[in-house]
Amino acid sequence: MHQLLSSQPDDQAAFSSAVSQASALMGAGHYQEAIDLLLSWSDAVRRHPAACSTLAFLMLQTGKTQEAVNWFEAAMVVSPGDPQVIRGLGQACHANGEFERALSCYAMILASGQGDKVDLTYRRALLLADMKRFDEALEGFGAVLALDPQHALAEGKRIELLKARGDMDGAIAAASESCKTRPKNAACWIRLGTLLQHCNQNAAALLAYDRGLTLAPDDFTALYNKALALRDLDRPEEALFCAQQALRLDGSDREVLLLCGSIEQMLGNVEAAKICFRQVAAMGAARHYPAATQPAKLHALMLFSPVGGNTPYEDLIKGAPFDADLFVVIPGYSHDPAKLDIGADIIVNLVAEPDRGLDTIDATREMVDLLSLPVVNHPTLIAGTNRESIAELLADLPNAVMPVTKKVMPADLVAAVRRSEAPPLPVIVRQSGFHGGEMMELVADADTLVAFAGEAGDQSLYLTHYVDYSSKDGHFRKYRFIFVGGEILPYHLAIGDVWKVHHASTRMAEIEWMRHEEEDFLNHPERYFGERQMAVLAEIQRRVGLDYFGIDCGLDHDGNVVIFEVNATMLIHLRNKGFEYKDPHVYAIKRAFERMLQARVEQSRAAS
């Protein structure tokens, strides 16, 4: 074919034929072939307005953003002032990261009064959101809705932006308004349910999901999220029915299989739960978390057991600079080594609760042994972190109070009480494998102790000597530090009126001085834990030997560190509404975790 279009009729006919062929290729979805054909007539295309614009849009559609910009510029030469070309150039510049230029393009057309005002206003708002000019973007989406109240995309983006900015009340109000505007639209109700569920308003979320499911009975997202809400409302039978409905729609969805398994487990259907979990394990990675920015600094293989206790990891790795793949560990199931060979640089073991079954720890160790990679929180070390073992490990720690802790079976405890061999009272008794104050009481008499043991069934118990750690003002203070590699970082201070202190159950949200004290502790931990106390924490870190774990502790009147709990199941999170001063310290822990992974990978590479 000729590269130039001459004045000869045959050349004009050939070019027209090429343009027609390109149009047919586009219609059939063969975009690259259409591009190649038009490029073979590139000089002629540059002089033909429609062909030049078509090639530019083809480049944009196939993700060739810089080429799209170049061809739209060429189209501007032959079609100056064409609103479609200017709009296309704006889209191409936006996609290519030339935000200011894209904004100028949209402003030019809007000022001229040409083009589709609704579409241009919407695209401008999208651009402003990507430029992080969020207030202007919200105004822009509002302007679109003022022009076209039924503009579903603008409505959705506005709600999405409100949510991303943390304005959940605004997002919920906007979603509620969309349900009033379009009451027959299932997507509006389902979106409202999702927002309510995000705010733990599960009962209200259920009402929204039910309205959505009335309109779209087979909506997978609504069924799955409704099952989650029912589970969280402690309605497991209904939750399982709903999850199984979702599973019938997509039997290979890993998340719904994990949900079905977790609910079966709640209901005591252990074998049914394991069937679900094995199905997920057989699929390879259960979840993939891409790095926030690419290329990723490293690739982590994370081991998680749905039948055991795990290190809470979601907020720990959210927005991280590394890729991560989550694999499920199930006792009795052996992974195919080929499926584990995903090019990972490091293993992060999340299985962290030895009281949920040493067989799970053993299965995790078997998986670790399949791969020659550095391991964070090796399963062998996790096996020694049950409460009784930790109490023995730290019993002789100077400047610390490690309450004696013993593990017993309920029947043995009842027999001991009947023989008048009960432990000294009062005593803290708890069911093994539970954290966060669940299944735990301070017992002052033998009858109550026997009753607690009776309710435990076959679940083993821990008996812990009670230490009065109240401060001089009568309040109880529980400090949490997180150990990451060689660092010791403060996470929170919970101040309560009673001995059982958990941050979420205190009155700190209502009492300003308590929040000020926690903020001061986080910013200046040395004011509370001096050299003597920090030396205690450093020795705990050395003896325990884990790469990542936490401690809950107090201080007695003599300044000794009173140790409550030391393990790798400690929670850190970014849901700190009303306690926003905590966020920088969560991020400090996240960054320390990332540094630790990077250092371990570099050490491994240097040694190989």
Side-chain angles (χ1 to χ4, degrees), residues 213-235:
L213 287 166
T214 299
L215 298 163
D218 290 335
D219 188 283
F220 178 87
T221 299
L223 289 167
Y224 173 73
N225 286 347
K226 181 182 176 183
L228 285 173
L230 287 164
R231 181 199 65 183
D232 293 343
L233 287 168
D234 198 23
R235 294 161 61 179

Side-chain angles (χ1 to χ4, degrees), residues 309-369:
N310 298 275
T311 301
Y313 71 90
E314 286 89 348
D315 282 353
L316 185 62
I317 69 167
K318 184 178 181 180
F322 56 85
D323 291 333
D325 284 287
L326 188 79
F327 283 80
V328 166
V329 181
I330 302 294
Y333 179 86
S334 296
H335 278 268
D336 179 353
K339 289 187 177 180
L340 294 176
D341 188 11
I342 55 173
D345 301 296
I346 191 167
I347 297 171
V348 179
N349 171 39
L350 300 169
V351 182
E353 177 51 82
D355 284 315
R356 293 286 181 90
L358 289 176
D359 56 345
T360 306
I361 302 291
D362 290 338
T364 310
R365 188 185 295 111
E366 289 174 10
M367 285 187 69
V368 166
D369 291 343

Side-chain angles (χ1 to χ4, degrees), residues 445-462:
D445 63 86
D447 289 343
T448 305
L449 193 59
V450 168
F452 190 99
E455 291 174 1
D458 295 329
Q459 183 67 43
S460 59
L461 304 173
Y462 280 117

Side-chain angles (χ1 to χ4, degrees), residues 224-433:
Y224 173 73
N225 286 347
K226 181 182 176 183
L228 285 173
L230 287 164
R231 181 199 65 183
D232 293 343
L233 287 168
D234 198 23
R235 294 161 61 179
E237 291 88 356
E238 296 169 82
L240 182 60
F241 176 76
C242 204
Q244 288 173 337
Q245 284 183 293
L247 194 61
R248 278 192 284 273
L249 295 172
D250 186 353
S252 64
D253 187 276
R254 291 165 169 81
E255 292 300 332
V256 76
L257 279 166
L258 287 170
L259 178 59
C260 284
S262 71
I263 300 170
E264 294 279 21
Q265 198 164 238
M266 288 174 67
L267 293 168
N269 305 326
V270 177
E271 287 308 313
K274 286 183 177 179
I275 289 171
C276 294
F277 297 145
R278 287 192 190 105
Q279 282 182 262
V280 176
M283 295 177 186
R287 292 172 182 155
H288 175 67
Y289 300 90
T293 56
Q294 295 291 342
K297 290 187 176 180
L298 58 91
H299 190 169
L301 187 158
M302 303 193 303
L303 304 182
F304 175 93
S305 180
V307 299
N310 298 275
T311 301
Y313 71 90
E314 286 89 348
D315 282 353
L316 185 62
I317 69 167
K318 184 178 181 180
F322 56 85
D323 291 333
D325 284 287
L326 188 79
F327 283 80
V328 166
V329 181
I330 302 294
Y333 179 86
S334 296
H335 278 268
D336 179 353
K339 289 187 177 180
L340 294 176
D341 188 11
I342 55 173
D345 301 296
I346 191 167
I347 297 171
V348 179
N349 171 39
L350 300 169
V351 182
E353 177 51 82
D355 284 315
R356 293 286 181 90
L358 289 176
D359 56 345
T360 306
I361 302 291
D362 290 338
T364 310
R365 188 185 295 111
E366 289 174 10
M367 285 187 69
V368 166
D369 291 343
L370 289 173
L371 301 167
S372 299
L373 291 172
V375 182
V376 169
N377 281 3
H378 199 284
T380 301
L381 293 172
I382 291 291
T385 59
N386 65 75
R387 292 178 186 273
E388 185 176 59
S389 297
I390 288 292
E392 292 173 356
L393 179 69
L394 305 179
D396 64 344
L397 199 60
N399 300 310
V401 177
M402 179 71 253
V404 175
T405 299
K406 296 295 180 184
K407 190 174 186 178
V408 298
M409 294 305 296
D412 295 335
L413 177 60
V414 171
V417 171
R418 287 174 178 164
R419 293 195 306 268
S420 300
E421 296 174 2
L425 301 173
V427 67
I428 297 172
V429 58
R430 77 182 82 213
Q431 292 187 24
S432 64

